[in-house]
Amino acid sequence: TGVATMKFKSPPVNSLSLEFLTEFSISLEKLENNRACRGVIITSAVPKIFSAGLDIMEMCGKSTEHYMEFWRAVQEMWLRLYGSNMVTVAAVNGSSPAGGCLVALSCDYRIMAESPKFSIGLNEAQLGIVAPFWFKDTFVNVVGHRTAERSLQLGSLYPAPEAHKLGLVDELVPEEKLMEKAAAVMAQWLALPDHARQLTKTMMRKAVLDRLVAHREEDIKNFSSFISKESIQKSLRMYMEMLKKRKS
Amino acid sequence: TGVATMKFKSPPVNSLSLEFLTEFSISLEKLENNRACRGVIITSAVPKIFSAGLDIMEMCGKSTEHYMEFWRAVQEMWLRLYGSNMVTVAAVNGSSPAGGCLVALSCDYRIMAESPKFSIGLNEAQLGIVAPFWFKDTFVNVVGHRTAERSLQLGSLYPAPEAHKLGLVDELVPEEKLMEKAAAVMAQWLALPDHARQLTKTMMRKAVLDRLVAHREEDIKNFSSFISKESIQKSLRMYMEMLKKRKS
Amino acid sequence: TGVATMKFKSPPVNSLSLEFLTEFSISLEKLENNRACRGVIITSAVPKIFSAGLDIMEMCGKSTEHYMEFWRAVQEMWLRLYGSNMVTVAAVNGSSPAGGCLVALSCDYRIMAESPKFSIGLNEAQLGIVAPFWFKDTFVNVVGHRTAERSLQLGSLYPAPEAHKLGLVDELVPEEKLMEKAAAVMAQWLALPDHARQLTKTMMRKAVLDRLVAHREEDIKNFSSFISKESIQKSLRMYMEMLKKRKS
């Protein structure tokens, strides 16, 4: 059918570690280069979570070199996904904070399981860190400037029904219908001639993609020096403690 | 009253042929230069159709020179209409795909007959062609980035009620009330001092107008080389065959 | 609690005179430099009016030098408020046209008394004048391009319920609950780490702030030469006459 399905399977919460991101980018590149593949549905094989976002372990107590390598891998994944020539559909079958939300925002279409127990959003500010400009640009392109400004400052996580009202996701369906719906949406998008659709997609996304490409090294340096700050390291450690306590 | 009404009357579907576009631009220029004219209502004299958009006959099996001349005429019409100092109200009394939708989007206000049988949208992708960047810019200025991105990739045509929900048209009225409503809206806009209104309009639209002016020749070349491709010519011929079959 | 409250108290209508603007800017600067202060709630001590906007007396029958000094003070206020590191909440407890609306739009969050008797909007066009580009940029960032284009050309003033529907204000509450609600919203915003929130706010607003900074002197000259025109002076005098008649 020309449609691939990628299932995130890195328990417990599909954190976007360096290894995960590298594999994700390689998989995307392979599909991109496979002429038989015209679309990809991205979903999770882990119950209740789509992806918990960037792996905090990669940002805590590591070397500057590590932070730089990690950040380059985050950029690489986004450049490939947001700029993909394939039709990309996110089947968000669980919560999807921060980097997990970015993955969904970078697709062409977002369908989410309708349960209000699942939430989605760019909540970086709650961890004391700042979503980089290209997370922000991607977000603004989906929900507009005002919703982005407010949500990013508050680090808002929205339950699925609210996310839908804001346009952060395009459609809600009962969880058991999610993959069926994703396939139907994919078929609708693939009914269009690839070439015209791809040129149109590029026209819509090029400005934002080019902006990161033009400032990529600078963005890596910014991230690594920001994350190396003792105050930020402390915030992240506190956040991890809190997560641990919540679990137990 | 200072208000002109332009009625498209080029049966069967008000296609925007080279001749039609040239006449349209000349009419706009005359009204623009007529100090007594402060506003123009644009509507159709052909039942059920506002305008079917760019005339495919002008894009099929013609010379490069013809494509270039045709495209310059499309640009000219848009530059005059989107940049008009007059108040421009579209009374959309029928379907309005592609270039027909662009005409409506370029006005200050869009009123549409409420029938769900009439649809509107930039459906170029369905024909295997791509709406140029200034169609896209005009669309984004009306419906925002996300709706534009999705609609342009899918080549969506929206029935009037859906178009209204997305903000693609400002207001729906029963067809028989359309001209009455257009006159009332025009009166409301003309109640404002011309000078302040015109400066404000220019402030809102200048960036997008300037972008085409700066890339006009490049855009003409892009169009003519894109449309000359055998694959595109084939797509257009197939689309025309389909239209013919649908009719008979 | 780290939260200041500023109450506009310049009867009868809290016009933004040169003196008022200068005091407002100084107060903002003091709070900004006070490390103990993390947020400010802006409201009015005058019943039924938040602020009537720029003081027309400052724009009528004065010298070019005066217009320039006045306009610089308007810019200064906006640069401080829109670019504030503090959390800024507007508790709009009355009508808020033109410059009054700008003050509200420049805050992080807008709560308005729900009465339809109170209206808000950038109605400059109704006075025959034009909102400058940075009023427009601020407005577009809140309500999007289309609503801004239409509202600025018509000089629309929206009753509170309509303003809420358009996103011009974030929330409506009964007037007697306004300050309580503002305090609750402030607490929610202050729950976030200041540093991350401030960097995020800067990321969202910098482009628009920088644009005025880059064109500040030009903007002052434009204003003073525009407002000095006899036709504009006449419009303003007529508007003032109308206001006087309405009162008596």
Side-chain angles (χ1 to χ4, degrees), chain A residues 124-133 136 140 145-146 148-150 152-155 226 229 232, chain C residues 82 107-110 140-143 167 170 188-189 192-193 195-197 199-201 203-205:
Chain A
E124 281 79 355
Q126 292 209 6
L127 287 69
I129 60 177
V130 182
F133 70 88
K136 180 265 286 177
V140 168
H145 192 279
R146 173 56 188 157
E149 182 182 86
R150 180 175 158 187
L152 287 174
Q153 283 194 69
L154 290 171
F226 179 79
K229 282 184 192 169
I232 302 300
Chain C
Y82 198 63
C107 290
D108 290 314
Y109 199 84
R110 284 157 289 288
V140 168
N141 274 356
V142 174
V143 298
D170 295 298
Q188 185 201 3
W189 284 66
L192 279 288
H195 189 59
R197 190 192 48 70
L199 289 173
T200 303
K201 182 172 178 176
M203 178 172 64
M204 298 305 299
R205 300 192 167 189

CSV table of all heavy atoms in Angstrom, one decimal, chain A residues 124-133 136 140 145-146 148-150 152-155 226 229 232, chain C residues 82 107-110 140-143 167 170 188-189 192-193 195-197 199-201 203-205:
chain,number,residue,atom,x,y,z
A,124,GLU,N,8.1,22.5,28.4
A,124,GLU,CA,9.5,22.7,28.8
A,124,GLU,C,9.6,23.7,29.9
A,124,GLU,O,10.4,23.5,30.8
A,124,GLU,CB,10.3,23.2,27.6
A,124,GLU,CG,10.7,22.1,26.6
A,124,GLU,CD,9.6,21.6,25.6
A,124,GLU,OE1,8.5,22.2,25.8
A,124,GLU,OE2,9.9,20.8,24.8
A,125,ALA,N,8.8,24.8,29.9
A,125,ALA,CA,9.0,25.8,30.9
A,125,ALA,C,8.8,25.3,32.3
A,125,ALA,O,9.3,25.8,33.3
A,125,ALA,CB,8.0,27.0,30.6
A,126,GLN,N,7.9,24.3,32.4
A,126,GLN,CA,7.7,23.7,33.7
A,126,GLN,C,8.9,23.0,34.3
A,126,GLN,O,9.1,22.8,35.5
A,126,GLN,CB,6.6,22.6,33.7
A,126,GLN,CG,5.2,23.3,33.4
A,126,GLN,CD,4.1,22.5,34.0
A,126,GLN,OE1,4.3,21.5,34.7
A,126,GLN,NE2,2.9,22.9,33.7
A,127,LEU,N,9.9,22.6,33.4
A,127,LEU,CA,11.1,22.0,33.9
A,127,LEU,C,12.2,23.1,34.1
A,127,LEU,O,13.3,22.7,34.3
A,127,LEU,CB,11.6,21.0,32.8
A,127,LEU,CG,10.9,19.7,32.7
A,127,LEU,CD1,9.5,19.8,32.1
A,127,LEU,CD2,11.7,18.7,31.8
A,128,GLY,N,11.8,24.3,33.8
A,128,GLY,CA,12.8,25.4,33.9
A,128,GLY,C,13.7,25.5,32.7
A,128,GLY,O,14.7,26.3,32.7
A,129,ILE,N,13.3,24.8,31.6
A,129,ILE,CA,14.1,25.0,30.4
A,129,ILE,C,13.2,25.7,29.3
A,129,ILE,O,12.0,25.9,29.5
A,129,ILE,CB,14.7,23.7,29.9
A,129,ILE,CG1,13.6,22.6,29.6
A,129,ILE,CG2,15.7,23.1,30.9
A,129,ILE,CD1,14.1,21.3,29.0
A,130,VAL,N,13.8,26.0,28.2
A,130,VAL,CA,13.1,26.8,27.2
A,130,VAL,C,13.0,26.0,25.9
A,130,VAL,O,14.0,25.5,25.4
A,130,VAL,CB,13.9,28.1,26.9
A,130,VAL,CG1,13.1,29.0,25.9
A,130,VAL,CG2,14.0,28.9,28.2
A,131,ALA,N,11.9,25.9,25.3
A,131,ALA,CA,11.7,25.3,24.0
A,131,ALA,C,12.5,26.1,23.0
A,131,ALA,O,12.4,27.4,23.0
A,131,ALA,CB,10.3,25.2,23.6
A,132,PRO,N,13.4,25.5,22.1
A,132,PRO,CA,14.1,26.3,21.2
A,132,PRO,C,13.2,26.9,20.1
A,132,PRO,O,12.1,26.6,20.0
A,132,PRO,CB,15.1,25.3,20.6
A,132,PRO,CG,14.5,24.0,20.8
A,132,PRO,CD,13.6,24.1,22.0
A,133,PHE,N,13.8,27.9,19.4
A,133,PHE,CA,13.0,28.7,18.4
A,133,PHE,C,12.3,27.8,17.4
A,133,PHE,O,11.2,28.1,16.9
A,133,PHE,CB,13.8,29.8,17.7
A,133,PHE,CG,14.9,29.3,16.8
A,133,PHE,CD1,14.5,29.1,15.4
A,133,PHE,CD2,16.2,29.0,17.2
A,133,PHE,CE1,15.5,28.6,14.5
A,133,PHE,CE2,17.1,28.6,16.3
A,133,PHE,CZ,16.8,28.4,15.0
A,136,LYS,N,9.2,26.3,18.7
A,136,LYS,CA,8.3,27.4,18.8
A,136,LYS,C,7.7,27.7,17.4
A,136,LYS,O,6.5,27.8,17.2
A,136,LYS,CB,9.0,28.7,19.3
A,136,LYS,CG,8.1,29.9,19.4
A,136,LYS,CD,8.2,30.8,18.2
A,136,LYS,CE,9.5,31.6,18.2
A,136,LYS,NZ,9.6,32.4,16.9
A,140,VAL,N,3.8,27.5,16.4
A,140,VAL,CA,3.1,28.6,15.9
A,140,VAL,C,2.4,28.3,14.6
A,140,VAL,O,1.2,28.6,14.4
A,140,VAL,CB,4.0,29.8,15.7
A,140,VAL,CG1,3.3,31.0,14.9
A,140,VAL,CG2,4.4,30.4,17.1
A,145,HIS,N,0.1,32.3,16.9
A,145,HIS,CA,1.0,33.0,17.8
A,145,HIS,C,0.5,33.1,19.2
A,145,HIS,O,1.2,32.8,20.2
A,145,HIS,CB,1.3,34.4,17.2
A,145,HIS,CG,2.4,35.0,17.9
A,145,HIS,ND1,2.3,35.7,19.2
A,145,HIS,CD2,3.7,35.1,17.6
A,145,HIS,CE1,3.5,36.1,19.5
A,145,HIS,NE2,4.4,35.8,18.6
A,146,ARG,N,-0.8,33.4,19.4
A,146,ARG,CA,-1.3,33.7,20.7
A,146,ARG,C,-1.3,32.4,21.6
A,146,ARG,O,-0.9,32.4,22.7
A,146,ARG,CB,-2.7,34.3,20.7
A,146,ARG,CG,-3.4,34.4,22.0
A,146,ARG,CD,-2.6,35.2,23.0
A,146,ARG,NE,-3.1,35.2,24.4
A,146,ARG,CZ,-2.4,35.4,25.5
A,146,ARG,NH1,-1.1,35.7,25.4
A,146,ARG,NH2,-3.0,35.4,26.7
A,148,ALA,N,0.4,29.8,21.1
A,148,ALA,CA,1.7,29.3,21.4
A,148,ALA,C,2.4,30.2,22.5
A,148,ALA,O,3.0,29.6,23.4
A,148,ALA,CB,2.6,29.5,20.1
A,149,GLU,N,2.2,31.5,22.4
A,149,GLU,CA,2.8,32.4,23.4
A,149,GLU,C,2.4,32.0,24.8
A,149,GLU,O,3.2,31.8,25.8
A,149,GLU,CB,2.5,33.8,23.1
A,149,GLU,CG,3.1,34.8,24.1
A,149,GLU,CD,2.7,36.2,23.8
A,149,GLU,OE1,1.6,36.7,24.4
A,149,GLU,OE2,3.4,36.9,23.1
A,150,ARG,N,1.1,31.8,25.0
A,150,ARG,CA,0.5,31.5,26.3
A,150,ARG,C,0.9,30.1,26.8
A,150,ARG,O,1.3,29.9,27.9
A,150,ARG,CB,-1.0,31.6,26.2
A,150,ARG,CG,-1.8,31.3,27.4
A,150,ARG,CD,-3.2,31.6,27.2
A,150,ARG,NE,-4.1,30.9,28.1
A,150,ARG,CZ,-5.4,30.8,28.0
A,150,ARG,NH1,-6.0,31.5,27.0
A,150,ARG,NH2,-6.1,30.2,28.9
A,152,LEU,N,3.5,28.2,25.8
A,152,LEU,CA,4.9,28.0,26.0
A,152,LEU,C,5.3,28.6,27.3
A,152,LEU,O,6.2,28.1,28.0
A,152,LEU,CB,5.7,28.6,24.9
A,152,LEU,CG,5.7,27.8,23.6
A,152,LEU,CD1,6.4,28.5,22.4
A,152,LEU,CD2,6.3,26.4,23.8
A,153,GLN,N,4.7,29.8,27.6
A,153,GLN,CA,5.1,30.5,28.9
A,153,GLN,C,4.6,29.7,30.1
A,153,GLN,O,5.3,29.6,31.1
A,153,GLN,CB,4.6,31.9,28.9
A,153,GLN,CG,5.4,32.8,28.1
A,153,GLN,CD,5.1,34.3,28.4
A,153,GLN,OE1,5.4,34.8,29.5
A,153,GLN,NE2,4.4,34.9,27.5
A,154,LEU,N,3.5,29.1,30.0
A,154,LEU,CA,2.9,28.3,31.1
A,154,LEU,C,3.3,26.9,31.1
A,154,LEU,O,3.1,26.1,32.0
A,154,LEU,CB,1.4,28.4,31.1
A,154,LEU,CG,0.8,29.7,31.4
A,154,LEU,CD1,-0.7,29.7,31.1
A,154,LEU,CD2,1.0,30.1,32.9
A,155,GLY,N,4.0,26.4,30.0
A,155,GLY,CA,4.4,25.0,29.9
A,155,GLY,C,3.1,24.1,29.9
A,155,GLY,O,3.1,23.1,30.5
A,226,PHE,N,23.5,26.5,27.7
A,226,PHE,CA,22.3,26.7,28.6
A,226,PHE,C,22.1,25.5,29.5
A,226,PHE,O,22.0,25.6,30.7
A,226,PHE,CB,21.0,26.9,27.7
A,226,PHE,CG,19.8,27.1,28.5
A,226,PHE,CD1,19.5,28.3,29.1
A,226,PHE,CD2,18.9,26.0,28.7
A,226,PHE,CE1,18.3,28.5,29.8
A,226,PHE,CE2,17.7,26.2,29.5
A,226,PHE,CZ,17.4,27.4,30.0
A,229,LYS,N,24.5,25.0,32.6
A,229,LYS,CA,24.4,25.9,33.7
A,229,LYS,C,24.0,25.1,35.0
A,229,LYS,O,23.1,24.3,35.0
A,229,LYS,CB,23.4,27.0,33.5
A,229,LYS,CG,23.8,28.1,32.6
A,229,LYS,CD,22.7,29.1,32.5
A,229,LYS,CE,23.0,30.1,31.4
A,229,LYS,NZ,21.9,31.0,31.1
A,232,ILE,N,20.3,25.2,35.8
A,232,ILE,CA,19.5,24.3,35.0
A,232,ILE,C,19.7,22.9,35.4
A,232,ILE,O,18.7,22.1,35.5
A,232,ILE,CB,19.8,24.6,33.5
A,232,ILE,CG1,19.7,26.0,33.1
A,232,ILE,CG2,19.0,23.7,32.6
A,232,ILE,CD1,18.3,26.6,33.3
C,82,TYR,N,5.3,45.7,26.7
C,82,TYR,CA,5.3,44.5,25.8
C,82,TYR,C,6.5,43.7,26.1
C,82,TYR,O,6.5,42.5,26.0
C,82,TYR,CB,5.2,44.9,24.4
C,82,TYR,CG,4.7,43.8,23.4
C,82,TYR,CD1,3.5,43.2,23.6
C,82,TYR,CD2,5.6,43.3,22.4
C,82,TYR,CE1,3.1,42.2,22.7
C,82,TYR,CE2,5.2,42.3,21.6
C,82,TYR,CZ,3.9,41.7,21.7
C,82,TYR,OH,3.5,40.7,20.9
C,107,CYS,N,-0.2,43.1,27.5
C,107,CYS,CA,0.0,42.2,28.7
C,107,CYS,C,0.1,40.8,28.3
C,107,CYS,O,-0.2,40.4,27.2
C,107,CYS,CB,-1.2,42.5,29.7
C,107,CYS,SG,-1.1,44.1,30.5
C,108,ASP,N,0.4,39.9,29.3
C,108,ASP,CA,0.5,38.5,29.1
C,108,ASP,C,-0.9,37.8,29.0
C,108,ASP,O,-1.1,36.8,28.4
C,108,ASP,CB,1.4,37.8,30.1
C,108,ASP,CG,2.8,38.2,30.0
C,108,ASP,OD1,3.3,38.2,28.9
C,108,ASP,OD2,3.4,38.5,31.1
C,109,TYR,N,-1.8,38.5,29.7
C,109,TYR,CA,-3.1,37.8,29.9
C,109,TYR,C,-4.2,38.9,30.1
C,109,TYR,O,-3.9,39.9,30.8
C,109,TYR,CB,-3.1,36.9,31.1
C,109,TYR,CG,-4.3,35.9,31.0
C,109,TYR,CD1,-4.2,34.7,30.3
C,109,TYR,CD2,-5.4,36.1,31.8
C,109,TYR,CE1,-5.2,33.8,30.3
C,109,TYR,CE2,-6.5,35.1,31.7
C,109,TYR,CZ,-6.3,34.0,31.0
C,109,TYR,OH,-7.4,33.1,31.0
C,110,ARG,N,-5.3,38.8,29.5
C,110,ARG,CA,-6.4,39.8,29.6
C,110,ARG,C,-7.7,39.2,30.1
C,110,ARG,O,-8.2,38.3,29.6
C,110,ARG,CB,-6.7,40.3,28.2
C,110,ARG,CG,-5.7,41.3,27.6
C,110,ARG,CD,-5.7,41.4,26.1
C,110,ARG,NE,-5.2,40.2,25.5
C,110,ARG,CZ,-3.9,39.8,25.5
C,110,ARG,NH1,-3.0,40.6,26.1
C,110,ARG,NH2,-3.5,38.7,25.0
C,140,VAL,N,-2.0,41.6,15.7
C,140,VAL,CA,-1.9,40.4,14.9
C,140,VAL,C,-1.4,39.2,15.8
C,140,VAL,O,-1.9,38.1,15.7
C,140,VAL,CB,-1.0,40.6,13.7
C,140,VAL,CG1,-0.7,39.2,13.0
C,140,VAL,CG2,-1.7,41.5,12.7
C,141,ASN,N,-0.5,39.5,16.7
C,141,ASN,CA,0.1,38.4,17.5
C,141,ASN,C,-1.0,37.9,18.5
C,141,ASN,O,-0.9,36.8,19.0
C,141,ASN,CB,1.2,39.0,18.4
C,141,ASN,CG,2.6,38.8,17.6
C,141,ASN,OD1,2.6,38.3,16.5
C,141,ASN,ND2,3.6,39.3,18.2
C,142,VAL,N,-2.0,38.7,18.7
C,142,VAL,CA,-3.1,38.2,19.7
C,142,VAL,C,-4.3,37.6,18.9
C,142,VAL,O,-4.7,36.5,19.2
C,142,VAL,CB,-3.6,39.4,20.6
C,142,VAL,CG1,-4.8,38.9,21.4
C,142,VAL,CG2,-2.5,39.9,21.5
C,143,VAL,N,-4.8,38.3,17.8
C,143,VAL,CA,-6.0,37.8,17.2
C,143,VAL,C,-5.8,37.2,15.8
C,143,VAL,O,-6.7,36.7,15.2
C,143,VAL,CB,-7.1,38.9,17.1
C,143,VAL,CG1,-7.5,39.4,18.5
C,143,VAL,CG2,-6.6,40.1,16.2
C,167,GLY,N,-10.9,36.2,20.8
C,167,GLY,CA,-9.6,36.0,21.4
C,167,GLY,C,-8.9,37.3,21.8
C,167,GLY,O,-7.8,37.3,22.2
C,170,ASP,N,-8.8,37.1,27.0
C,170,ASP,CA,-8.7,35.7,27.3
C,170,ASP,C,-9.9,35.1,28.1
C,170,ASP,O,-10.2,33.9,28.0
C,170,ASP,CB,-7.4,35.4,28.0
C,170,ASP,CG,-6.2,35.7,27.2
C,170,ASP,OD1,-6.0,35.1,26.1
C,170,ASP,OD2,-5.4,36.6,27.5
C,188,GLN,N,-1.0,31.5,39.0
C,188,GLN,CA,-0.7,30.4,38.0
C,188,GLN,C,0.5,30.7,37.2
C,188,GLN,O,1.4,29.8,37.0
C,188,GLN,CB,-2.0,30.2,37.1
C,188,GLN,CG,-1.9,29.1,36.2
C,188,GLN,CD,-2.9,29.2,35.0
C,188,GLN,OE1,-3.6,30.3,34.9
C,188,GLN,NE2,-2.9,28.2,34.1
C,189,TRP,N,0.6,31.9,36.7
C,189,TRP,CA,1.8,32.2,35.9
C,189,TRP,C,3.1,32.3,36.7
C,189,TRP,O,4.2,31.9,36.2
C,189,TRP,CB,1.6,33.6,35.2
C,189,TRP,CG,0.6,33.5,34.0
C,189,TRP,CD1,-0.7,33.2,34.0
C,189,TRP,CD2,1.0,33.7,32.6
C,189,TRP,NE1,-1.2,33.2,32.8
C,189,TRP,CE2,-0.2,33.5,31.9
C,189,TRP,CE3,2.1,34.0,31.9
C,189,TRP,CZ2,-0.3,33.7,30.5
C,189,TRP,CZ3,2.1,34.1,30.5
C,189,TRP,CH2,0.9,34.0,29.8
C,192,LEU,N,5.5,29.2,37.5
C,192,LEU,CA,6.6,28.8,36.6
C,192,LEU,C,7.9,29.4,37.0
C,192,LEU,O,7.9,30.5,37.6
C,192,LEU,CB,6.3,29.2,35.2
C,192,LEU,CG,5.3,28.4,34.4
C,192,LEU,CD1,6.0,27.1,33.9
C,192,LEU,CD2,4.0,28.1,35.0
C,193,PRO,N,9.0,28.8,36.8
C,193,PRO,CA,10.3,29.4,37.0
C,193,PRO,C,10.5,30.7,36.2
C,193,PRO,O,10.3,30.6,35.0
C,193,PRO,CB,11.3,28.3,36.6
C,193,PRO,CG,10.6,27.1,36.4
C,193,PRO,CD,9.2,27.4,36.2
C,195,HIS,N,13.0,32.4,35.1
C,195,HIS,CA,14.0,32.5,34.0
C,195,HIS,C,13.5,31.9,32.7
C,195,HIS,O,13.6,32.5,31.6
C,195,HIS,CB,15.3,31.8,34.5
C,195,HIS,CG,16.4,32.0,33.6
C,195,HIS,ND1,16.9,33.3,33.3
C,195,HIS,CD2,17.2,31.1,32.9
C,195,HIS,CE1,18.0,33.1,32.4
C,195,HIS,NE2,18.1,31.8,32.2
C,196,ALA,N,13.0,30.7,32.8
C,196,ALA,CA,12.5,30.0,31.6
C,196,ALA,C,11.3,30.7,31.0
C,196,ALA,O,11.2,30.9,29.8
C,196,ALA,CB,12.1,28.6,31.9
C,197,ARG,N,10.4,31.2,31.9
C,197,ARG,CA,9.3,32.0,31.4
C,197,ARG,C,9.7,33.3,30.6
C,197,ARG,O,9.2,33.6,29.6
C,197,ARG,CB,8.3,32.3,32.5
C,197,ARG,CG,7.0,32.9,32.1
C,197,ARG,CD,6.2,33.5,33.2
C,197,ARG,NE,7.0,34.4,34.1
C,197,ARG,CZ,7.4,35.6,33.7
C,197,ARG,NH1,7.1,36.1,32.5
C,197,ARG,NH2,8.1,36.3,34.5
C,199,LEU,N,12.6,34.0,29.2
C,199,LEU,CA,13.3,33.7,27.9
C,199,LEU,C,12.3,33.3,26.9
C,199,LEU,O,12.4,33.7,25.7
C,199,LEU,CB,14.3,32.5,28.1
C,199,LEU,CG,15.6,32.9,28.9
C,199,LEU,CD1,16.4,31.6,29.1
C,199,LEU,CD2,16.4,33.9,28.1
C,200,THR,N,11.2,32.6,27.3
C,200,THR,CA,10.2,32.2,26.3
C,200,THR,C,9.4,33.4,25.9
C,200,THR,O,9.1,33.5,24.7
C,200,THR,CB,9.2,31.2,27.0
C,200,THR,OG1,10.0,30.1,27.5
C,200,THR,CG2,8.2,30.7,26.1
C,201,LYS,N,9.1,34.3,26.8
C,201,LYS,CA,8.4,35.5,26.4
C,201,LYS,C,9.2,36.3,25.4
C,201,LYS,O,8.7,36.8,24.4
C,201,LYS,CB,8.1,36.3,27.7
C,201,LYS,CG,7.3,37.6,27.4
C,201,LYS,CD,6.8,38.2,28.8
C,201,LYS,CE,6.1,39.5,28.6
C,201,LYS,NZ,5.6,40.1,29.8
C,203,MET,N,11.4,35.3,23.4
C,203,MET,CA,11.5,34.6,22.1
C,203,MET,C,10.2,34.9,21.3
C,203,MET,O,10.3,35.0,20.1
C,203,MET,CB,11.6,33.1,22.4
C,203,MET,CG,11.6,32.2,21.1
C,203,MET,SD,11.9,30.5,21.5
C,203,MET,CE,10.5,30.0,22.5
C,204,MET,N,9.1,35.0,22.0
C,204,MET,CA,7.8,35.2,21.3
C,204,MET,C,7.6,36.7,20.8
C,204,MET,O,7.0,36.9,19.8
C,204,MET,CB,6.6,34.9,22.2
C,204,MET,CG,6.5,33.4,22.6
C,204,MET,SD,6.5,32.2,21.3
C,204,MET,CE,5.0,32.7,20.4
C,205,ARG,N,8.2,37.6,21.6
C,205,ARG,CA,7.9,39.0,21.3
C,205,ARG,C,9.1,39.8,20.7
C,205,ARG,O,8.9,40.9,20.3
C,205,ARG,CB,7.5,39.7,22.6
C,205,ARG,CG,6.2,39.0,23.2
C,205,ARG,CD,5.6,39.8,24.3
C,205,ARG,NE,4.3,39.3,24.6
C,205,ARG,CZ,3.4,39.9,25.5
C,205,ARG,NH1,3.7,41.0,26.1
C,205,ARG,NH2,2.2,39.3,25.7
